[in-house]
């Protein structure tokens, strides 16, 4: 597989090596064959990547466009088109974007100027096995990462923020949206940070199935009062675990919402939801079946755990009472680790499939599983008690 | 109070995760201990009785607090009491 380089100080007449890099993304991607890699050196590129990246070969040999990194640190390679989307992939599979800054500050078309859209082609060719990792995605006036009839996407360790707009009276902007027009399956969304998102942080809707959402932090989602929230789990077969959802921007729907498209067989476990005194913490819709809600913290909402599905949902060991000051280290400061003596410690049920917490701490610590996204390390308290005073002897 | 008994008391700590206290006693000073309470005690008082294995003399006492994570406080200021195991008749020699 060939490796090429593009640099802000390069020249498109060059050969594309690290010592003789191209200047533009257009040139750099034009030479890529399936499975090749384009390393993008630090700089701001005022151009897009719409249908410029060829399909890869397999999951182990994708076509890669990535910020150049040395010693594990990415150079700040900013993809900032003068208009429109940053990236469009239509009918091409096995593509990886890594370490880039996708800045949609110049995208003015509300609702369509995504950071990345990967979609099925008009001829029915999918854009499957698409990976976006280690990227910063920002200033998008539409859904940031939009996949339509795309299977097996991996969205990992990205910082997705400042997404969406209410201009024109219609709210826009999910962090991640899995659209149709037909069924798609098997997404993994993990270790991302979402901040200041106008609608849902992540919306698995309407036809997405069997996806995993884990170890993400959602802050200041649901900026619009309608049709918005932290995580939407429509359809069936999802696992949602070890996420933190807190600090909604307005009184929207729910931090975690299991609803639409006949929700079934979805598991919501070991999440921490902290509200602003309104909306739902965890909501299970009417008619849902086979839903399992276990070991979650949901407090400070109008309704902390709102189960409309009756026996369609199994609710076990969820903490939905108590104050933040008795449960968390510093909720106001966004620190949802469990304080010593928290009622969430060692009060969960054993979930053998959940082997770690949001930061990789093995579960369980102590005698039982903790409730919420964090497992409290035993012995982590290193603060000595005060020195005793007033000693007397008779 | 009997001369072979020291009744100790101190102000209770306020930590929510307090496990208890360890009591120290010594004939020399409170930081060079020849005796500690046999187990962590949970109340803010303790009675030490001079048994046959301990000599008479000026005894110094102090306490440390310990929490559930086994963090231990500094040693408190010490107090002392002259303790005598035998309370029999005083023999005066000419």
């Amino acid at each position: 597989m060939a490796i090429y380089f593009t640099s802000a100080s390069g020249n498109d007449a060059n050969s594309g090596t690290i010592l003789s890099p191209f200047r533009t993304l257009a040139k750099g991607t034009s030479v890529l064959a399936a499975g090749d890699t384009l390393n993008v050196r630090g700089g701001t590129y005022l151009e897009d990547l719409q249908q410029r990246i060829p399909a890869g070969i397999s999951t182990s040999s994708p076509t890669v466009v990535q910020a150049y990194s040395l010693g594990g640190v990415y150079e700040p390679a900013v993809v900032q088109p003068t208009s429109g989307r940053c990236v469009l992939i239509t009918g091409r599979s096995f593509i990886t974007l890594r370490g880039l800054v996708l800045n949609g500050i110049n995208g003015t078309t509300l609702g369509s100027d995504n950071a990345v859209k990967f979609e099925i082609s008009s001829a029915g060719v999918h854009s499957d096995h698409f990976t976006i990792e280690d990227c910063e995605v920002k200033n998008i006036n539409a859904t940031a990462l939009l996949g339509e009839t795309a299977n097996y996407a991996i969205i990992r360790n990205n910082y997705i923020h400042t997404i969406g707009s209410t201009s024109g009276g219609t709210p826009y902007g999910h962090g991640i949206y899995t659209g149709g027009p037909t069924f798609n399956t098997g997404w993994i969304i993990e270790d991302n940070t979402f901040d200041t998102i106008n609608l849902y942080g992540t919306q698995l809707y309407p036809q997405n199935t069997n996806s995993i959402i884990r170890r993400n932090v959602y802050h200041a989602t649901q900026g619009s009062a309608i049709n918005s929230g932290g995580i939407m789990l429509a359809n069936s077969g999802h696992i949602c675990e070890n996420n933190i959802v807190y600090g909604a921007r307005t009184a929207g729907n729910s931090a975690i919402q299991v609803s639409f498209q006949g929700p079934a067989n979805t598991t919501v476990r070991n999440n921490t939801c902290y509200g602003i005194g309104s909306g739902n913490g965890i909501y299970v819709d009417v008619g849902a079946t086979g839903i399992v809600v276990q070991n979650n913290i949901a407090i400070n909402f109008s309704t902390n755990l709102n189960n409309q599905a009756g026996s369609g949902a199994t609710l076990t060991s969820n903490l939905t009472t108590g104050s933040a000051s008795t449960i968390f280290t510093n909720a106001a400061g966004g620190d949802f680790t469990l304080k010593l003596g928290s009622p969430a410690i060692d009060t969960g049920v054993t979930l053998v499939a959940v082997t770690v917490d949001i930061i990789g701490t093995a579960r369980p610590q102590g005698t039982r599983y903790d409730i919420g996204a964090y497992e409290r390390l035993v012995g982590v308290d290193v603060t000595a008690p005060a020195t005793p005073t007033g000693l007397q002897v008779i | 109070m009997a001369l072979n008994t020291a009744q100790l008391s101190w102000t209770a700590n306020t930590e929510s995760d307090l496990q208890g206290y360890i009591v120290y006693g010594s004939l020399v000073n409170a930081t060079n201990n020849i005796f500690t309470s046999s187990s962590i005690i949970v109340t803010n008082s303790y009675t030490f009785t001079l048994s046959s294995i301990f000599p008479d003399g000026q005894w110094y006492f102090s306490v440390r607090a310990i929490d559930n994570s086994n963090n231990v406080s500094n040693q408190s200021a010490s107090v002392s009491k002259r303790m005598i195991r035998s309370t029999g008749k005083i023999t005066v020699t000419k």
Side-chain angles (χ1 to χ4, degrees):
Chain A
M1 307 304 162
I3 299 174
Y4 298 97
F5 290 82
T6 287
S7 168
S9 59
N11 188 316
D12 281 349
N14 287 344
S15 58
T17 64
I18 190 168
L19 297 177
S20 181
F22 301 127
R23 170 64 185 85
T24 64
L25 299 176
K27 176 63 178 179
T29 51
S30 71
V31 301
L32 293 176
D36 287 351
T37 293
L38 176 64
N39 285 306
V40 183
R41 303 297 304 265
T44 299
Y45 297 81
L46 301 177
E47 51 184 326
D48 64 54
L49 287 169
Q50 298 205 58
Q51 282 298 77
R52 298 188 186 279
I53 306 171
I57 299 169
S58 65
T59 52
S60 58
S61 297
T63 305
V64 178
V65 175
Q66 64 184 7
Y68 180 65
S69 65
L70 196 62
V73 178
Y74 293 107
E75 294 185 357
V78 183
V79 179
Q80 185 177 305
T82 54
S83 65
R85 294 187 184 94
C86 296
V87 181
L88 175 66
I89 308 291
T90 303
R92 300 175 182 180
S93 295
F94 307 115
I95 292 173
T96 294
L97 301 177
R98 181 180 296 126
L100 300 168
V101 178
L102 305 176
N103 188 352
I105 192 71
N106 298 320
T108 56
T109 307
L110 297 176
S112 65
D113 283 349
N114 319 100
V116 181
K117 181 179 183 182
F118 46 110
E119 61 179 358
I120 191 170
S121 72
S122 58
V125 180
H126 284 210
S127 295
D128 294 340
H129 298 283
F130 192 87
T131 298
I132 305 171
E133 61 186 5
D134 302 342
C135 292
E136 180 181 6
V137 179
K138 62 183 178 182
N139 303 323
I140 308 296
N141 274 324
T143 289
L145 307 179
L146 172 63
E148 293 190 341
T149 313
N151 299 294
Y152 312 114
I154 297 174
I155 300 175
R156 175 186 294 142
N157 198 40
N158 302 286
Y159 177 32
I160 301 166
H161 66 101
T162 319
I163 307 299
S165 170
T166 55
S167 297
T170 303
Y172 296 100
H174 304 294
I176 297 173
Y177 183 93
T178 62
T182 58
F183 282 86
N184 54 95
T185 192
W187 287 43
I188 297 175
I189 299 167
E190 61 185 11
D191 301 318
N192 301 285
T193 298
F194 299 80
D195 201 339
T196 313
I197 312 287
N198 199 42
L199 298 178
Y200 284 95
T202 296
Q203 189 171 19
L204 301 185
Y205 175 86
Q207 281 101 352
N208 187 274
T209 61
N210 300 320
S211 291
I212 298 172
I213 302 178
R214 60 191 174 196
R215 302 190 302 264
N216 303 285
V217 176
Y218 296 84
H219 174 245
T221 59
Q222 65 190 65
S224 295
I226 59 170
N227 193 28
S228 62
I231 301 170
M232 155 83 85
L233 302 161
N235 221 299
S236 65
H238 305 301
I239 294 172
C240 177
E241 68 184 24
N242 284 331
N243 300 286
I244 296 172
V245 186
Y246 75 106
R249 294 165 68 190
T250 64
N253 286 337
S254 307
I256 298 176
Q257 179 177 351
V258 182
S259 60
F260 294 107
Q261 305 300 110
N265 304 323
T266 282
T267 297
V268 178
R269 58 196 182 196
N270 274 116
N271 300 285
T272 294
C273 304
Y274 181 61
I276 58 170
S278 59
N280 298 304
I282 298 172
Y283 177 82
V284 183
D285 207 354
V286 174
T289 58
I291 309 301
V292 177
V293 181
Q294 297 174 309
N295 286 5
N296 301 285
I297 299 173
I299 62 167
N300 209 31
F301 299 89
S302 290
T303 307
N304 292 326
L305 178 50
N306 190 345
N307 176 31
Q308 296 292 315
S311 60
T314 301
L315 316 176
T316 310
S317 296
N318 298 291
L319 180 60
T320 57
T321 59
S323 66
S325 62
T326 62
I327 298 172
F328 303 120
T329 301
N330 180 10
D335 183 352
F336 295 96
T337 56
L338 302 177
K339 68 184 301 183
L340 193 66
S342 170
I345 296 173
D346 290 347
T347 49
V349 292
T350 298
L351 302 174
V352 293
V354 186
T355 57
V356 296
D357 75 353
I358 188 171
I359 57 172
T361 300
R363 293 188 189 269
Q365 299 280 319
T367 56
R368 297 179 62 182
Y369 273 58
D370 294 349
I371 295 175
Y374 284 104
E375 185 80 14
R376 192 175 196 284
L377 275 171
V378 172
V380 73
D381 171 27
V382 295
T383 303
T387 303
T389 59
L391 181 61
Q392 299 178 6
V393 61
I394 57 175
Chain B
M1 186 58 58
L3 291 176
N4 68 338
T5 302
Q7 186 172 313
L8 303 166
S9 62
W10 57 92
T11 305
N13 279 50
T14 58
E15 288 84 1
S16 60
D17 63 330
L18 194 72
Q19 184 179 170
Y21 303 91
I22 305 167
V23 177
Y24 298 85
S26 170
L27 268 175
V28 180
N29 59 58
T31 58
N32 183 15
N33 307 289
I34 63 169
F35 130 84
T36 63
S37 47
S38 58
S39 62
I40 295 167
I41 58 174
V42 296
T43 63
N44 58 321
S45 64
Y46 183 74
T47 300
F48 171 62
T49 301
L50 205 61
S51 67
S52 60
I53 64 171
F54 295 120
D56 295 351
Q58 188 74 18
W59 278 82
Y60 295 81
F61 300 97
S62 67
V63 293
R64 293 179 190 262
I66 182 170
D67 69 15
N68 288 327
S69 301
N70 294 327
N71 297 306
V72 178
S73 76
N74 291 328
Q75 208 148 14
S76 72
S78 63
V79 294
S80 68
K81 177 179 180 178
R82 179 159 182 80
M83 299 184 72
I84 301 172
R85 190 168 59 249
S86 170
T87 56
K89 194 188 312 181
I90 296 173
T91 301
V92 179
T93 57
K94 292 183 180 177

